[in-house]
Amino acid sequence: MVKKLKQILLIIVALLLITGCRDQQDGEEYVNTSSDTSTSFTQLDSESEIKAKNLQELVAVGLEKRLNREENSEDITIDVPYDEGSSIFATYYINQEPVTEVGMIQAVKRENEYILQNIDLSPIDKQAPFWLAKFAGTTMDGKSNFRVNYGYINDPSINEIRIRYSNVTMHGMSMDDRKTFLDVTTDEKMIETSVQGIDGDNNLVYKYD
């Protein structure tokens, strides 16, 4: 009887040792799997960037991905591009007569591609001599905030937009043959106090205070 009990005990101990070894191996495999998962997450984040070869195509893709709006790139006009250094801004509108929607895009250029940062599109007020919109955000490098004043000219007599800022600075933009205007500032002390539309005789046509 004693010999049989010893044999049984030895068998139980051997089984416990084998089970413990298997549990340890399973644990090592789990650690390796979690390492692979973090790598695939990084790749997914990179693939989520919205890219295009030019701003016109970037607007079309951005409208679809961000605003659920489908437009052909051929129907989009980039009107006023502006390179701030770390970011590129531009106004755009959908080619239709009369123009009823105007937007602004912020992107960064990396090698031969443009990468989308921000995009918006708004219906314009056709009753006012010119329509004004505002946008604020952070530059791509994260070093400064920016403010954007942009808009659309309804009254053809307006050939200049003047923006006065709280630090007594004034920015003047000649309209020439453009339909939109765009002004970008990164100085946080420059808060706009008025946006004015001026005609060819230097008369005030309309302003936003």
Side-chain angles (χ1 to χ4, degrees), residues 5 7 18 50 82 87 130 143 147 155 162 168 196:
L5 286 174
Q7 289 175 350
I18 292 170
I50 298 175
Y82 173 78
S87 294
F130 72 94
K143 294 181 178 180
R147 294 173 63 86
D155 187 337
R162 296 175 184 172
V168 199
Q196 306 173 354

Side-chain angles (χ1 to χ4, degrees), residues 4 17 46 63 92 104 121 123 148 162 178 195 205 208:
K4 288 184 178 181
L17 287 172
S46 175
L63 287 174
Y92 70 92
M104 188 279 302
L121 179 66
V148 177
R162 296 175 184 172
R178 296 193 302 268
V195 183
V205 178
Y208 292 87

Side-chain angles (χ1 to χ4, degrees), residues 113-124:
E113 289 183 315
Y114 290 90
I115 302 171
L116 181 66
Q117 300 301 302
N118 288 294
I119 186 170
D120 71 347
L121 179 66
S122 301
I124 64 175

Side-chain angles (χ1 to χ4, degrees), residues 12-65:
I12 292 172
V13 170
L15 289 172
L16 288 172
L17 287 172
I18 292 170
T19 304
C21 290
R22 286 178 178 172
D23 289 342
Q24 187 176 2
Q25 290 172 357
D26 290 343
E28 289 171 355
E29 290 174 2
Y30 177 76
V31 171
N32 291 335
T33 303
S34 66
S35 175
D36 293 341
T37 302
S38 64
T39 303
S40 65
F41 176 80
T42 302
Q43 293 170 350
L44 180 63
D45 185 62
S46 175
E47 291 173 357
S48 66
E49 290 182 338
I50 298 175
K51 306 175 184 178
K53 293 182 179 179
N54 57 58
L55 289 176
Q56 194 176 19
E57 291 180 5
L58 190 64
V59 168
V61 179
L63 287 174
E64 180 183 359
K65 301 285 188 180

